[in-house]
Amino acid sequence: MKKLRLYNKKTVFTVITVLILTISTVSYTLSLLTEANQQVSQSITNFSRGTYDILIRPPQAHTELEKQLNIVENNYLGIGDGGMTMEDWEKVKKHPQVEIAAPVASIGLFTARERTFMLEKDPLDAKYYEVEYATSDGVNTYLNNDSSFVYDFGVSLAPFNVYPSSLEVDESYVGDYVASFTFPVSYHQVVAVDPREEGKLTGYDLTPLLEENLLDTYEYEDGKYSIPIMSLADVSVPVSIKLTIDDLAEPTEEELDTWMDAFIEGNPMLTLIEHRDVYHQVVEKHISGKRLQREKVVELTPDMNHSPFKQALLFLDENDQLKLEDRENDEIALGGAFQMNSQRIGYRLSPVVYQIDDEQKLSVNQIGVDEVYNAPIYRKIEEVEFYQIDDSGRPLNNEDYVGFIENGTFSIKENTETLASTPLGIYGSEQPYMASDSKALLHPSAVPGSFITTPAHGLVSIEHAERIKGEAPIDAIRVKVAGITVYNDEAESLIKQLAEEWRDEGFTVDIVAGASLQELPVEVEGLGKVMQSFTTLGAADTVVSSWNAMQLALTILYVLVVLTFVIYTFFNLLSDRLKDEQLLERLGWSKKTIDRLRYREWSLILGLPIFIVLMGFILFGRWSNEWLPFFISIVISVVYLLLFFLIDRMDKKVLHVVTKQRNSITLQNIRFYRNNILASVVQLFLTTFLTCFLPFFLLQNVSQATKTRLGSFIHGEIEGLFVVIIILLYVLSLVTVYQTLSRVWTLRIPEIKLFSILGWEKKTIRAYFLKEVFVWAGLAILTGWIVSVVVMSLVIEITVLSFAVGILGALLILFITWLGSIYTLKRVQSKGGDKLANRAS
Amino acid sequence: MKKVSKVLVGILLFGSLFFGISQIEANAAVETNMTPTQFTKKTYEYQTITIGTNVGGRAEFRFNKGDGSATKTKLGSYSVSFREYWTKSDIYNYWGRVISENYGPGPTRYGKATIRIQ
Amino acid sequence: MQIELHNVNKTYQTEVESIHVLKNIDFTVESGQWLMITGPSGSGKTTLLRCISALEQVDSGEIILGGSNLAALSDAERRKLRKDHIGYIFQDFQLFDQFDVLTNVMIPQLPDYPEEKVEKRARELLTLVGLNDRERHMPRQLSGGEKQRTAIARALMNNPKLILCDEPTGNLDAGNRDHIMTILKEINQKGVTIVLVTHDTELIEYGDLHFRLSHDGELVRNGIKKGIVP
């Protein structure tokens, strides 16, 4: 009995190889999944939790965008009417469970300092200057309606040497050796933060905001009443200036007399201010002719490093470049003009009203046009006068004065990584771009009311917020919970508990761990389709749940596929020897002896692969210090052993049922061979489910998370693993289907032979068998598809696309199965149906 | 301290003294002179105001008409003139100031302009 | 259907030797005759049937069925000949275990005719072989004789002119054997040519002709009954 084996060597070798492969790959894959799980948790801790956990806002702060799409626009905290008091903030800050409580109070939109740029002029020279302003939103350029000009005939004609286009131009034009013109106005968002708490959140050193007694001779009372501000360093000022310079011919005495006669009361300025039309007629008729048409045109764009709240004057250097005065480096403006009350008037912007259609697509409507530039306006602007002045331009009350002294800058670009991983609502640097051209970046024009909410261009200390904005200036408090080192269930429940506490106080509270960015198309009237960044609040939740769901779905599918494969293999192996064992029994073998023979053979078939895999993982563990695959392989081995014993005890006899109703031949065949095709049916069902459900589950559920940076980071990290698992899933499924088909056809060689004897044509025989495959595989695939549709409708939203692609996927699987059937059938036909007939009797 | 460092510190102090953001007080030694400090003119009638200082070197001379309009500046040495007119009859407190590159800001000098209708 | 074999030789090549299964077989069976072939195991009886049924080709010589030389026919023509004119009955019945009796009988005609028509004919044939009450039974629920009667019914489905029987009673008891032979006799009397190979010498009397294949594959004409052409 020692040498007797019921399995042939080839079978034993094949099964041992297959088992080694399955035990090792399953163990390793599951260990990778476990590791990936830890990795995701760690990533969420590292990247999602990041700087803050909870966002507290005033009651009813949720916008429609949040309610419907759970997103907020980029830099959404830069706009707000306040609603929380400094006391509210202090209370939150003092909570024992709070590590950081960083308030944000949007102060409003301020113009940069009103000042001039100048170019040097020989006081005796007669020159014509024309200045045209334009602004751009990155895609369109908008020209200022009013072009400014100055005819300056030199000091020899003083005091009637200068003929400006308007009083405003005249007030900025210094004259003599300084030809100065207003630098175009731009608008900049100012936000109040607490320098200490904000510093902890962002890592910025914002202590310059706390400095006192800063000297700025450009400010009212040298800055005694001014507020230190830190400017955003990398703001592009969206204006351009076209400067035309021409020479003028000196007028003769007679000409001068003619001009003076033409002006009202012989006074050009009086005519300009009180009889503007007359003035311009005179200039057009008499003075403009003095231009010598030797014009030079200079296009000026502000330096990119030009921060919004710089005080210094601007000048044109010898290369016609616009420069900011920097006397330390001997870059000097010879003069100019500036306003001390530039920040007397501010603007409060209303949030952009996003229209959300039935398909949850976003659009923004234009609500008006800017009078100066004809640029579109997308939101309401409210003008706010922060303090009143007397006729001389002095504040009525010094304490009310609002003016900013730039005391340092902060940079978003340099800190993109940190800030983007934890969007803080005022530092978003993502520029929207045209959907049709990703290089066409959009930015707000010089006109207030852009649909783009900019990052904070200036930060001031929160202590000034009350004075500027009123009693409850705070728009939001970003809270980092104390004592959390790992983002786990415990941490989550603590965060939830705190959130609930503040929610009970009436605030709008969101858990924002993992708040992250995603891009959505927005149809902007007058512009077209724009890709805009939005922040998903609480992306960590989505990422965790999507990860969990994906992991669960994949693990279940994977385990099912593997188990089906193993059970099928074991069942076949044990069934195959049943006949031989029955024969041995008839020949007088005891059941015990037969069992012993079976167990001996199986101890090799199962024992050897288990031994090899365990040894392999021990070596792997010693080499990499990674023991998880080893432990999982022990579990898998035990499962395989249990499966063997369970199947061994199963009644493997094929039960034949006499049906009352006679079915079609195909159905009778399927019924008869159901045990042989069951594994394939299961695998096809699972594969179809996998194909029809998983991609859309990933698309609609996981992609929700991957739209965010955190999600895409995490899913990107583990993408490779999923690809491996999915490939394994398909491979195991297809191997099972292939084996099933081969096995069933081999079993049915006598049938094939008989059909041949009966004179059936090869293609008729093939059609006969393929019809069966078509029915059982089709049913399995159809069921898989139906189940996937049902599950999809329960878990995610079904779209026409998912429906159609699901059908295509199912058809593809059916097609592959059908091809496999043809291939295996042809193989069996060639080696069985025909050749097996070649035997003598 | 090495000489170069001293020079550097000097430059930095100098820069921050005038144009930036410093806690250094205005230099009391710098005087601002303004002439005239009082005059009467008609609307749209030009008046030249000269602002001077006692310290040499480059200085910024500022003038404000006291009517809420922008402050004008000119770079010069010892004295600079501004030729101005007023558009409405009133009494204006115009002012001038000098900020010396070497010695810092001087005090603000006020003058009174009585403007009558032409 | 007339069967003519002229000097038919068939050899099988195994790994160790060449076996000359059929040697110079030469005979003619007229249409409507019943030829009984006996011989020991391995004498080539089944091979002879397979050659006659065009399942295998001969090495030399020719087989002419109903005037058609099998060697001149294409695969498709041979297949058609088999399907349209030949019925086959095996010792082990070769029924489809997964089908009931009725379906088993219907099988030969299913690819070509409407199911209702085929079913009707199958029922007629089951009545002919006395199994009309067994049509819903599965093969495993039948006795050996019933299985073979099912196989006979199946062999008759295409109205064959020739029925080849390979030890049709080898697995049956005497009672069932006689029953089967009686049925075959009735079929033969309707003009169907029958070639039956068997070990059982008692069956020889059913035939019109009897040949014996010797152990070395040669044909021995044992006797002629009812006017035989040698």
Side-chain angles (χ1 to χ4, degrees), chain A residues 158-161 167 170-171 173-177 211-218 222 265 267 269-270 273-274 313 327-328 330 332-340 391-394 405-407, chain B residues 11-12 15-24 43-46 58 60 62 64-76 80-83 85 87 90 93 95 97 99 101 105 110 118:
Chain A
F160 300 114
N161 56 333
L167 178 64
D170 193 46
E171 284 184 345
Y173 190 78
V174 173
D176 290 354
Y177 49 88
E211 281 180 37
E212 290 174 355
N213 303 320
L214 295 173
L215 176 75
D216 178 8
T217 60
Y218 288 108
D222 289 350
E265 295 179 31
N267 189 323
M269 289 305 126
L270 182 148
I273 293 155
E274 296 181 9
L313 299 174
R327 297 195 182 181
E328 281 175 40
D330 212 31
I332 296 157
L334 297 178
F338 65 91
Q339 249 304 355
M340 286 184 176
D391 290 342
S392 68
R394 294 176 66 89
I405 299 181
E406 190 184 83
N407 193 17
Chain B
I11 289 171
L12 289 174
S16 56
L17 201 63
F18 292 107
F19 309 106
I21 26 196
S22 154
Q23 296 181 36
I24 296 167
T43 52
Y44 302 108
E45 193 178 353
Y46 283 95
R58 200 157 62 186
E60 187 187 332
R62 293 182 179 175
N64 186 288
K65 292 200 288 182
D67 63 352
S69 61
T71 302
K72 288 181 177 175
T73 81
K74 281 182 183 177
L75 218 59
V80 154
S81 294
F82 292 89
R83 193 170 47 255
Y85 63 92
T87 59
D90 207 339
N93 292 314
W95 57 262
R97 194 184 190 191
I99 296 154
E101 258 187 29
Y110 288 90
Q118 199 167 34

Side-chain angles (χ1 to χ4, degrees), chain C residues 1-3 27 29-37 49 52 85-87 89 152 156 160-166 168 180-197 206-210:
Chain C
M1 178 182 273
Q2 189 192 48
I3 308 166
F27 66 79
V29 179
E30 292 300 329
S31 186
Q33 284 191 322
W34 183 334
L35 170 65
M36 305 296 282
I37 299 174
L49 283 190
I52 293 170
H85 301 298
I86 301 173
I89 299 167
I152 291 170
L156 292 172
K161 293 174 184 159
L162 167 66
I163 291 182
L164 302 171
C165 308
D166 190 356
I180 294 298
M181 292 309 285
T182 307
I183 293 170
L184 287 174
K185 193 71 204 169
E186 284 170 13
I187 294 164
N188 180 239
Q189 280 166 355
K190 287 177 183 166
V192 177
T193 310
I194 293 178
V195 178
L196 188 149
V197 300
Y206 284 97
D208 300 317
L209 292 168
H210 172 225

Side-chain angles (χ1 to χ4, degrees), chain A residues 395-413:
Chain A
L396 291 182
N397 183 354
N398 284 342
E399 301 302 321
D400 292 340
Y401 177 77
V402 174
F404 300 125
I405 299 181
E406 190 184 83
N407 193 17
T409 58
F410 66 99
S411 170
I412 292 176
K413 281 184 185 163

Side-chain angles (χ1 to χ4, degrees), chain A residues 694-744:
Chain A
L694 205 65
F696 301 103
F697 176 72
L698 296 182
L699 269 178
Q700 289 198 21
N701 194 345
V702 179
S703 70
Q704 203 62 36
T706 52
K707 275 177 194 164
T708 65
R709 292 188 175 188
L710 171 72
S712 56
F713 170 75
I714 283 169
H715 284 280
E717 288 278 292
I718 51 181
E719 209 170 59
L721 173 62
F722 284 141
V723 170
V724 170
I725 292 175
I726 288 168
I727 288 172
L728 276 173
L729 267 168
Y730 277 105
V731 167
L732 283 175
S733 301
L734 293 177
V735 165
T736 316
V737 174
Y738 180 82
Q739 280 194 343
T740 301
L741 291 167
S742 283
R743 191 177 164 81
V744 169

